[in-house]
C-alpha cells in the first residue's frame, strides 16, 4: 500500500534517481505523468564515467509496492546498468553488469513509444508480480534475469522486448493483453550498430507458461534466438 505521493513539477527533469547500492524504495507513488516529465524512477551507476573495474553503484536495490506513473516523453522505469568508457559489448562479455536489482509488486504506467520500462545491462535480477500498463518492457543485454508473473496491458509496442546479446533469461507465467505489436519479441541491439555476429544472439532463454491475448501482430516474434525453450504458452487472437 502506498503512503506518500511525489510529483515532478519540472517537465524537463527525472523524479527519483538511485545511484547507490542496497537501497529499498517502497510504498510510494512517483508521478511524472501529471506534468509529462522524464523518468519517474531510475537505478544507475552514478559515476557517469567508468574509472575502475567494478560498478560503483546501482546494485542490489529493490523497488516494491509502489505506483510509478509516467507520461509519453520518457521512461517510466529505467534500470540503466553501469556506465561504460569502452565497448559495451566487451563489458557485457566480461559480465561487468549491475547485479541483483529487484522490481516487484508495483503498478507502472507509461506510454513512451520507445522504452517505457527498461531493465538494461543487469545480471541476477528479477522483475516479478508487477502490473505494466501502456508501454513495453525492454530487457536489454542481460544475463541470468527472471521476468515472471507480471501483467502487461495495452502496450503501445510489444509486451516484452528482449534485446541481444542476452543469455540465461527466464520469461515465465506472464500475462500480456492487447499489445499493439507482438506479445513477446526478440532482436539484437540495433542502437549500437554495426554489431559483430557473436553479439547478436539471445542465448539459453526459457519462455514458458505465458498467456498472450489480442496482440496486434504475432503472439511471439523471436529472432536471433539460440538454444532456447518455448514451452506451454497460450496465444489467442494474435
Amino acid at each position: 500500500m502506498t503512503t506518500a505521493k511525489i510529483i515532478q513539477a519540472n517537465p524537463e527533469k527525472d523524479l527519483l534517481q538511485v545511484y547507490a547500492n542496497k537501497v529499498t524504495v517502497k510504498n510510494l507513488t512517483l508521478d511524472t505523468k501529471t506534468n509529462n516529465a522524464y523518468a519517474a524512477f531510475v537505478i544507475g551507476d552514478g559515476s557517469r564515467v567508468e574509472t575502475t573495474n567494478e560498478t560503483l553503484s546501482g546494485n542490489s536495490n529493490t523497488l516494491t509496492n509502489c505506483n510509478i506513473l509516467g507520461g509519453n516523453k520518457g521512461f517510466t522505469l529505467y534500470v540503466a546498468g553501469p556506465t561504460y568508457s569502452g565497448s559495451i559489448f566487451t563489458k557485457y562479455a566480461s559480465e561487468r553488469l549491475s547485479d541483483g536489482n529487484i522490481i516487484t509488486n508495483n503498478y507502472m504506467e507509461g506510454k513512451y513509444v520507445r522504452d517505457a520500462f527498461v531493465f538494461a545491462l543487469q545480471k541476477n535480477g528479477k522483475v516479478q508480480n508487477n502490473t505494466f500498463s501502456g508501454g513495453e518492457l525492454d530487457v536489454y543485454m542481460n544475463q541470468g534475469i527472471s521476468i515472471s508473473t507480471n501483467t502487461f496491458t495495452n502496450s503501445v509496442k510489444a509486451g516484452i522486448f528482449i534485446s541481444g546479446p542476452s543469455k540465461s533469461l527466464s520469461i515465465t507465467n506472464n500475462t500480456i493483453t492487447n499489445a499493439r505489436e507482438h506479445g513477446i519479441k526478440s532482436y539484437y541491439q540495433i542502437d549500437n550498430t554495426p554489431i559483430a555476429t557473436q553479439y547478436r544472439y539471445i542465448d539459453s532463454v526459457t519462455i514458458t507458461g505465458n498467456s498472450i491475448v489480442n496482440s496486434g501482430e504475432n503472439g511471439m516474434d523471436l529472432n536471433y534466438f539460440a538454444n532456447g525453450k518455448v514451452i506451454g504458452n497460450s496465444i489467442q487472437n494474435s
Side-chain angles (χ1 to χ4, degrees):
M1 179 180 295
T2 59
T3 58
K5 184 174 185 176
I6 305 172
I7 301 173
Q8 175 55 275
N10 187 338
E12 302 305 315
K13 298 290 186 179
D14 295 339
L15 179 49
L16 179 59
Q17 300 173 333
V18 175
Y19 295 142
N21 297 319
K22 299 182 179 179
V23 172
T24 296
V25 176
K26 63 181 181 179
N27 301 335
L28 293 175
T29 293
L30 302 176
D31 181 354
T32 55
K33 178 181 178 181
T34 297
N35 295 305
N36 202 27
Y38 282 96
F41 183 72
V42 177
I43 297 174
D45 177 6
S47 66
R48 301 293 183 181
V49 177
E50 180 187 334
T51 55
T52 71
N53 291 327
E54 300 297 328
T55 302
L56 298 181
S57 57
N59 301 288
S60 301
N61 299 296
T62 300
L63 175 70
T64 186
N65 295 323
C66 290
N67 292 327
I68 313 296
L69 309 178
N72 60 19
K73 188 166 67 177
F75 312 117
T76 296
L77 171 73
Y78 187 30
V79 185
T83 302
Y84 294 113
S85 59
S87 167
I88 191 172
F89 298 107
T90 300
K91 301 300 183 182
Y92 170 87
S94 65
E95 299 188 15
R96 190 193 180 291
L97 305 169
S98 294
D99 194 352
N101 289 306
I102 297 173
I103 309 297
T104 184
N105 295 317
N106 304 285
Y107 171 79
M108 296 189 229
E109 179 181 316
K111 293 186 178 180
Y112 185 41
V113 296
R114 291 188 60 194
D115 309 300
F117 315 111
V118 177
F119 204 70
L121 297 162
Q122 304 289 311
K123 62 182 179 181
N124 306 320
K126 295 179 180 180
V127 180
Q128 61 185 19
N129 300 328
N130 302 284
T131 296
F132 296 91
S133 177
E136 175 181 89
L137 174 64
D138 294 314
V139 183
Y140 285 147
M141 300 179 69
N142 291 303
Q143 301 183 20
I145 298 300
S146 173
I147 311 292
S148 64
T149 58
N150 301 285
T151 298
F152 301 85
T153 59
N154 302 319
S155 172
V156 295
K157 292 182 69 179
I160 300 172
F161 177 78
I162 309 165
S163 172
S166 287
K167 67 179 183 181
S168 302
L169 310 183
S170 175
I171 314 293
T172 60
N173 299 323
N174 300 285
T175 300
I176 302 169
T177 306
N178 296 330
R180 181 177 295 175
E181 297 179 1
H182 309 289
I184 299 174
K185 180 176 180 177
S186 68
Y187 207 81
Y188 64 83
Q189 176 57 284
I190 59 175
D191 290 345
N192 292 282
T193 54
I195 299 175
T197 300
Q198 69 265 31
Y199 295 131
R200 296 186 180 188
Y201 286 92
I202 295 95
D203 188 36
S204 301
V205 175
T206 298
I207 300 177
T208 184
N210 300 284
S211 175
I212 301 171
V213 180
N214 293 334
S215 297
E217 297 184 24
N218 299 313
M220 297 187 195
D221 183 44
L222 304 179
N223 304 276
Y224 294 92
F225 194 79
N227 304 311
K229 296 179 180 179
V230 181
I231 302 171
N233 301 282
S234 173
I235 299 175
Q236 301 177 48
N237 300 327
S238 298

